[in-house]
Amino acid sequence: MGHGFLDSFYDGNIISRVGNETYIVIFRTLLEADQSGLLREFVKADKIRPKPADVVVSGFNLGQKVDVFANDGLVCSNEDVFANDGWRAGHIISKIGETEYLVHFDSTNQDIIYPFTDIRVHQDWDAANEVWVYTCN
């Protein structure tokens, strides 16, 4: 898609099908380059996934793979983090106080602090069975 970072995921809606393997998607958090509205883009079917189910937790463990949510354009860890208006995979490297975690992103070698509310348990897509898989670590 040309947007964001490696291991990033962006929320969107399919608005139409173009041929057998391509869809037009409108993204919920990405804007057109000129900022005129929400980004619409052609996306191959093999790049589209349903939103993963919420996994309720009271905290995260060191080294745990997570997703992080942040619209500040910054990237960090191995858990999934919402970064640059999308979810980004990273991992927890330390807990900061009661409600924040330091997350490391391997692809950019950056560490960033995120609040607990912007982090979710990372899940991997099992394409063969078309389900999200959560592995506790």
Side-chain angles (χ1 to χ4, degrees), residues 31-78:
L31 296 175
E32 295 285 353
D34 64 2
Q35 308 290 307
S36 62
L38 294 175
L39 178 65
R40 294 170 188 242
E41 194 164 75
F42 292 95
V43 179
K44 295 288 186 183
D46 66 344
K47 301 295 182 190
I48 297 174
R49 310 279 185 272
K51 187 174 181 177
D54 290 332
V55 176
V56 179
V57 296
S58 60
F60 300 99
N61 298 317
L62 295 183
Q64 182 174 357
K65 191 169 186 180
V66 296
D67 293 332
V68 179
F69 173 85
N71 57 9
D72 56 11
L74 300 175
V75 211
C76 58
S77 89
N78 229 359

